[in-house]
Amino acid sequence: MLEVLGRSTSINVRKLLWTCAELGLPYQHSPWGTGELSLRDPAFLALNPNALVPVIRDGDFVLWESNTICRYLAAKAGRRDLLPAEPAARARVEQWMDWQATELNTAGRHAVMGLVRKSPAFADPALIDASVLAWNRHMALLEDVLRSTDAFVTGSRFTLADVVLGLATHRWYMTPMARPDLPAVAAYYDRLDARPGFRAHGRNGMP
């Protein structure tokens, strides 16, 4: 059986758990990063030397990086609705998944660490304000895309891009900060709420 390693409070672990829900894929969850399950334990570092979650073990195959794992699981399951086989359609999904990881996540990181995690290393108000501004600017780009599709990120069909961006949208709403009114994003957020996997692992009270 597939093993998912990582604490369920991690947004990146929750990507996997939501993906597994969409796939109807059974898994064993090992909550590394909580209690005595230290990410600095040699047993965990042997799986991911970056000391980050999530990690999966699929038989003898070990993989880390959350967006890559989501793509692997969908491709292995043959779920072309979530990850198309046609190169251009697949690239469009992957484009938005990579944008979430490199642009959107980076923009909001300081705000999340300062306002949600309360990390002393991210307490500078000016840097928090700059992060909030950048985060809101990126979410406005998502607003424009969702206005054009009137459904999901890449068009009329739900894909893996919506897993990662749905969780990112939830975090944006859950962070205590000023944010603009983005009606297409709000409608998207509610649209995702129809999916049990999102209610269980996304819109579940955790940022």
Side-chain angles (χ1 to χ4, degrees), residues 43-198:
F44 187 83
L45 291 174
L47 300 174
N48 186 356
N50 298 291
L52 295 170
V53 295
V55 176
I56 62 164
R57 284 194 285 211
D58 189 13
D60 294 330
F61 181 57
V62 175
L63 189 64
W64 37 268
E65 286 296 330
S66 59
N67 286 0
T68 299
I69 295 171
C70 290
R71 290 192 284 260
Y72 165 76
L73 294 175
K76 184 179 180 184
R79 287 292 298 274
R80 296 183 176 181
D81 56 328
L82 297 177
L83 186 66
E86 193 275 321
R90 176 169 177 148
R92 187 68 70 197
V93 171
E94 294 184 327
Q95 166 188 271
W96 284 107
M97 295 179 77
D98 291 346
W99 181 79
Q100 177 275 324
T102 60
E103 299 292 334
L104 185 62
N105 189 59
T106 299
R109 183 170 184 268
H110 208 105
V112 171
M113 294 301 295
L115 299 173
V116 177
R117 303 300 181 209
K118 305 295 184 181
S119 169
F122 294 85
D124 186 321
L127 294 178
I128 290 175
D129 288 347
S131 179
V132 169
L133 184 65
W135 197 2
N136 286 340
R137 185 172 63 249
H138 281 75
M139 289 299 294
L141 296 177
L142 182 60
E143 169 78 6
D144 290 342
V145 170
L146 292 170
R147 282 184 179 179
S148 70
T149 66
D150 198 30
F152 299 105
V153 175
T154 64
S156 62
R157 296 173 63 177
F158 176 89
T159 70
L160 286 181
D162 299 296
V163 171
V164 302
L165 285 169
L167 283 164
T169 297
H170 173 71
R171 171 165 280 184
W172 183 69
Y173 275 116
M174 291 290 292
T175 299
M177 65 184 198
R179 64 183 62 80
D181 180 28
L182 301 179
V185 170
Y188 174 66
Y189 190 47
D190 289 339
R191 194 174 299 119
L192 292 175
D193 202 47
R195 309 189 80 87
F198 182 56

